[in-house]
Amino acid sequence: MNADAYVPILILGAIAVAFAVFSVFVASAVGPRRYNRAKLEAYECGVAPTPQRPGGGRFPVKFYLTAMLFIIFDIEIVFLYPWAVHYEALGVFGLLAMGLFIVNVSVAYAYEWRRGGLSWE
């Protein structure tokens, strides 16, 4: 591949970096500077923090189930997209392999469903 093909990409990257640096400089030079005690404190959501045990608190199972659901669908899409692009070239072997993959993903999905990870109550 010719190195000249990368020149537009490098130019676009340089423009992006220059714009970011220019924006930060202009914002700090022109922006208002009205500091008060509330602005200098660490940001909190408005809820007073509660004391926790030394080892930390336990997370509800919903966090685990939501993360598992994300991983299930994320991995499924990552593997289904290339399979769909080259479906004809893979033939029957690709169809059987993807069928086995869908069965494996369905087992994880059924586990998630049974544990109540899909209900938002």
Side-chain angles (χ1 to χ4, degrees):
M1 179 172 260
N2 192 359
D4 292 337
Y6 292 106
V7 171
I9 295 172
L10 293 175
I11 291 173
L12 185 61
I15 290 172
V17 169
F19 179 74
V21 170
F22 176 75
S23 297
V24 169
F25 174 73
V26 168
S28 65
V30 179
R33 290 181 184 86
R34 291 186 295 267
Y35 298 112
N36 58 28
R37 198 172 78 196
K39 282 187 178 181
L40 295 176
E41 288 183 13
Y43 175 75
E44 293 292 333
C45 63
V47 178
T50 58
Q52 298 214 355
R53 287 180 262 137
R58 294 183 62 174
F59 285 101
V61 175
K62 289 286 186 184
F63 290 110
Y64 162 74
L65 292 176
T66 304
M68 186 174 164
L69 190 65
F70 170 76
I71 290 171
I72 289 170
F73 287 114
D74 191 40
I75 290 174
E76 184 177 12
I77 294 301
V78 164
F79 284 111
L80 279 177
Y81 184 73
W83 174 78
V85 170
H86 291 288
Y87 172 71
E88 291 180 5
L90 296 174
V92 177
F93 173 74
L95 181 64
L96 293 175
M98 192 49 62
L100 184 62
F101 174 71
I102 294 294
V103 167
N104 285 337
V105 168
S106 298
V107 168
Y109 182 71
Y111 173 78
E112 179 86 21
W113 189 356
R114 186 169 173 94
R115 292 291 305 240
L118 300 177
S119 63
W120 292 103
E121 299 170 2

